[in-house]
Amino acid sequence: MARTTLALAVALCVASSVADEDLGMAGDYGDMYGGGDMYGGGDPYGGMGGYGGMEGYGGGGYGGGYGDEYGGGEPSGPAFTMIDDVDGVQKFLDDEATEPAVIGYFNDDTNKEDIEVFESVASSLQYGVRFAYSVEDDVREAYKAAKSGCVVQVYLPPRFFNEKYDTKPKKRFPGKTLKEDALTKFIKKNTLPLVGQKNWKSNEMYDGAGLPVVTLFTAVDLEKNPKGFDYYANRLRRVAIDNIGKLVFNVGDKDDFSYMLEDYDLELPNKKDVGVGIKDGNKHYAMTESFSVDNLRAFTEKVLAGEVEAKIKEEPDYSSSNDYGGEDAEEEDDSDSLVVTVTDDNVGEVLSKDKDVMIEFYAPWCGHCQQLKPTYKKLAAEFDGVDSVVVAAMDATANEVPEGYDVQGYPTIFFAPADGEVVSYDGARDVDSMATFIKTNAKTIKDEL
């Protein structure tokens, strides 16, 4: 019996020889599907109350209010996709090969409570995992779920599944009925491949794994240079296979996460530089030797044995209302900030179509937002005197995110060209990269620069 519940698209992450392994051959994944920060708050920005000599653009910098958790309103769409036919299962799995997926198969008459649990878990994990389910009899039969009535399968990201090291591309939830806590724990435990990609979507899952995270920072471009990623991922796998249950491993783009490198005391200024760090809560460890499988193995063993001194990242004290240690704490002087504060009161004026606007959506408690702060202030200074360019920011926990801006994590940056379509900025978060992006895509400043 078909379920008529209205649901739209999901809202929101091998080698048989050593030679093949080094080329990153992943094997035929498709046939295997078969039937079987919380960082303490405080306003991370300060700055100007207006720009261009105009009043009414904020006052007091980047906000300063506090919100509940992520705030910013409800998610922009359903947390799951409905699958209506047998082909839809494989289509859903193939749609985002770099992200884990969870698919449920339910009897619409007897599994109503299980469906409610599934939808609730999907809502809570939607930013890191893709969810879909089907209540169609032919789909359930094709995937061997017709008799049991309730089957949930968790799929590793196809792109990062490796036949030689990863045991299975999917795992079935063992319960005959669904409980929210049990299903959540099972998903978190089984969505991480032996070695995956570190990105803003997968970060939450890695941080929630409850294990130290080993990250290799290098240049990552899965479209233009997939073998480059696989080269390092396969070397990580040789160490990761011996540390299952002790460590989790990933590869992150060093430019995208340049603001994190200082947490480890890593400096990777050159294009081909590679660095390895281990994060265990607020403890950060940097591998000082050049990267090799043997050096990585020795490094992980020493860290696990407590033989490497950690760099402790001091988190803000958010036990008080001031979130930076009380009223007597020394505050950073943000009086010279050129970043424009966006609020519900001035959002229409700031995001007017006559200027090119780079806007960051942040949360006061977000540690990554804090790290981006000095870079973003420098970016604003880069365009000082260019009246047609605005570098702005909105506290998404204290204000309503405007329509057309899909904010699903912090910080999130968009670029709104004059009289153009809003685009997400997914490039490196350094001044030069962001400034180049603005200059390349701006509609109004070609003659001013």
Side-chain angles (χ1 to χ4, degrees):
M1 179 179 180
R3 180 177 176 88
T4 58
T5 301
L6 179 62
L8 303 177
V10 68
L12 260 141
C13 61
V14 170
S16 58
S17 67
V18 173
D20 284 344
E21 178 185 335
D22 285 348
L23 290 176
M25 305 302 291
D28 185 0
Y29 190 96
D31 293 340
M32 293 181 148
Y33 286 110
D37 291 317
M38 297 294 291
Y39 291 94
D43 181 358
Y45 294 92
M48 60 191 298
Y51 69 90
M54 300 175 62
E55 297 180 355
Y57 275 96
Y62 268 52
Y66 296 88
D68 297 329
E69 294 290 347
Y70 286 86
E74 295 297 320
S76 59
F80 52 87
T81 295
M82 294 296 295
I83 296 177
D84 298 322
D85 54 50
V86 175
D87 292 339
V89 174
Q90 193 62 50
K91 290 179 180 177
F92 177 76
L93 292 170
D94 292 340
D95 187 45
E96 296 289 349
T98 62
E99 298 179 25
V102 178
I103 300 181
Y105 306 90
F106 304 106
N107 183 309
D108 195 27
D109 292 325
T110 60
N111 298 121
K112 294 186 182 300
E113 292 185 0
D114 297 310
I115 292 173
E116 291 179 0
V117 171
F118 185 89
E119 292 181 355
S120 178
V121 172
S123 295
S124 66
L125 298 179
Q126 62 177 303
Y127 298 135
V129 183
R130 301 169 62 241
F131 287 82
Y133 74 87
S134 180
V135 294
E136 304 298 336
D137 292 340
D138 57 339
V139 178
R140 293 170 52 238
E141 184 174 354
Y143 286 86
K144 299 180 180 180
K147 294 183 179 180
S148 60
C150 174
V151 172
V152 174
Q153 299 276 15
V154 177
Y155 296 82
L156 293 176
R159 175 60 179 82
F160 307 126
F161 175 80
N162 186 293
E163 286 183 327
K164 184 174 181 179
Y165 294 99
D166 291 291
T167 55
K168 296 180 180 179
K170 65 178 180 180
K171 289 188 179 180
R172 175 171 171 169
F173 180 72
K176 294 183 179 180
T177 60
L178 301 184
K179 300 296 182 182
E180 191 163 335
D181 288 347
L183 181 59
T184 298
K185 291 179 181 178
F186 183 80
I187 292 172
K188 288 184 175 181
K189 182 179 179 180
N190 293 288
T191 49
L192 296 179
L194 190 63
V195 176
Q197 181 186 14
K198 176 184 179 68
N199 54 41
W200 72 268
K201 286 187 177 181
S202 65
N203 263 340
E204 181 179 354
M205 301 306 292
Y206 280 106
D207 288 343
L211 296 171
V213 182
V214 182
T215 300
L216 182 142
F217 294 97
T218 185
V220 175
D221 191 328
L222 293 177
E223 293 185 3
K224 296 181 179 180
N225 186 24
K227 291 182 179 180
F229 178 91
D230 294 329
Y231 175 87
Y232 289 110
N234 282 322
R235 279 152 179 75
L236 289 183
R237 289 183 179 109
R238 298 179 191 177
V239 179
I241 193 67
D242 297 323
N243 287 282
I244 295 175
K246 302 176 185 177
L247 302 166
V248 290
F249 291 72
N250 58 36
V251 180
D253 186 85
K254 64 179 182 178
D255 289 333
D256 288 351
F257 294 99
S258 59
Y259 57 95
M260 288 186 179
L261 296 180
E262 64 181 77
D263 294 344
Y264 304 87
D265 280 339
L266 286 172
E267 295 184 3
L268 307 174
N270 300 315
K271 182 177 181 180
K272 294 185 179 181
D273 287 346
V274 174
V276 176
I278 296 179
K279 178 180 181 292
D280 185 8
N282 67 341
K283 299 177 181 178
H284 293 74
Y285 306 87
M287 189 172 81
T288 56
E289 297 79 7
S290 60
F291 175 75
S292 70
V293 173
D294 289 341
N295 285 343
L296 176 63
R297 180 174 286 111
F299 173 59
T300 56
E301 289 174 353
K302 290 179 179 178
V303 170
L304 290 174
E307 298 175 1
V308 180
E309 183 176 355
K311 177 184 177 182
I312 306 297
K313 180 180 178 181
E314 298 294 341
E315 306 294 358
D317 177 10
Y318 54 96
S319 59
S320 68
S321 60
N322 201 23
D323 286 339
Y324 277 108
E327 295 181 359
D328 296 332
E330 182 178 351
E331 297 183 1
E332 180 179 353
D333 181 9
D334 287 317
S335 60
D336 60 343
S337 176
L338 299 177
V339 177
V340 175
T341 300
V342 183
T343 67
D344 290 338
D345 295 330
N346 66 2
V347 62
E349 189 173 1
V350 176
L351 296 179
S352 63
K353 292 294 185 178
D354 60 343
K355 295 181 183 291
D356 295 297
V357 182
M358 178 78 89
I359 180 170
E360 175 205 0
F361 294 91
Y362 71 93
W365 43 257
C366 168
H368 295 162
C369 303
Q370 299 277 357
Q371 292 173 317
L372 181 61
K373 171 185 174 181
T375 299
Y376 204 64
K377 288 170 63 178
K378 291 178 182 177
L379 177 66
E382 183 83 5
F383 293 93
D384 185 18
V386 183
D387 294 337
S388 59
V389 174
V390 179
V391 177
M394 170 185 275
D395 178 355
T397 70
N399 300 278
E400 184 175 353
V401 176
E403 185 177 352
Y405 294 81
D406 185 17
V407 177
Q408 299 176 349
Y410 303 121
T412 296
I413 301 175
F414 289 94
F415 183 68
D419 295 322
E421 295 295 324
V422 175
V423 295
S424 174
Y425 176 74
D426 299 317
R429 292 176 179 179
D430 59 81
V431 175
D432 289 343
S433 297
M434 290 190 287
T436 298
F437 182 89
I438 293 174
K439 293 174 183 178
T440 301
N441 294 278
K443 303 295 186 182
T444 61
I445 64 173
K446 303 297 189 209
D447 298 331
E448 295 185 56
L449 299 177

